[in-house]
Amino acid sequence: MKGPQGYATIVNIAMNILLGLLISIAVLLYMGTFMPVPLTAEAVIGSTVSSFFVGFTVGTLLPIMDWAFAIIGALKVKNGFVQYLIIACTLGACMGVCITCGNAIISQIGMGGWPAVGGFIANFIGFIVLCAVVLVIVFLKPVQIMAAKISGFDPAAAMRPDAEAAL
């Protein structure tokens, strides 16, 4: 878990644990407002585990950070806070969509087939994406700081020479 790969893996694991747990609780509470869905430990654990595995897989396979940096470059954003918001919103939106779709398939395909999957996605994608974006904005920086300490890799320090050379 050292170096750049360790840093990326730690961030991916920690963010997906947080996203899975907090989105699961939020969705169960939200569902409870219009149907009798109890907030039980079993429901939270099951949803968190499936969210984690979907999110971790997506975070490992898709170049979401590259997409965020492409947006930053295309918009020529120089302000660090705005760059952070673009990164967080890109990560949150991608993870929210993928977690929604993955969990819809996992939880609904056996009960109602593809129509149930589509209904779940239609009902929850906006709420889950919003939750994911807010959670990533709040938790990404602390998780990155933790990952840098654990892995010994600081991406900001690693990028400084490239940034100076590009000027």
Side-chain angles (χ1 to χ4, degrees), residues 55-125:
F56 183 79
T57 301
V58 167
T60 301
L61 297 178
L62 295 181
I64 301 170
M65 287 297 289
D66 292 343
W67 299 341
F69 289 130
I71 293 168
I72 290 167
L75 297 174
K76 298 180 175 135
V77 175
K78 302 291 184 205
N79 182 289
F81 179 71
V82 176
Q83 289 177 348
Y84 177 78
L85 287 178
I86 291 170
I87 290 167
C89 289
T90 304
L91 284 169
C94 290
M95 298 307 284
V97 167
C98 292
I99 287 170
T100 303
C101 293
N103 278 355
I105 293 169
I106 291 166
S107 68
Q108 301 298 310
I109 196 79
M111 296 185 338
W114 290 107
V117 171
F120 182 94
I121 292 169
N123 283 316
F124 292 103
I125 195 157

Side-chain angles (χ1 to χ4, degrees), residues 20 23-25 27-28 42-52 103:
I23 288 173
S24 295
I25 292 169
V27 167
L28 289 167
E42 294 85 5
V44 171
I45 291 168
S47 181
T48 300
V49 168
S50 64
S51 294
F52 172 81
N103 278 355

Side-chain angles (χ1 to χ4, degrees), residues 137-161:
I137 288 170
V138 171
F139 289 107
L140 181 60
K141 187 53 106 180
V143 166
Q144 288 173 324
I145 292 167
M146 176 195 69
K149 287 180 182 175
I150 293 170
S151 70
F153 176 74
D154 181 3
M159 290 176 63
R160 279 188 210 116

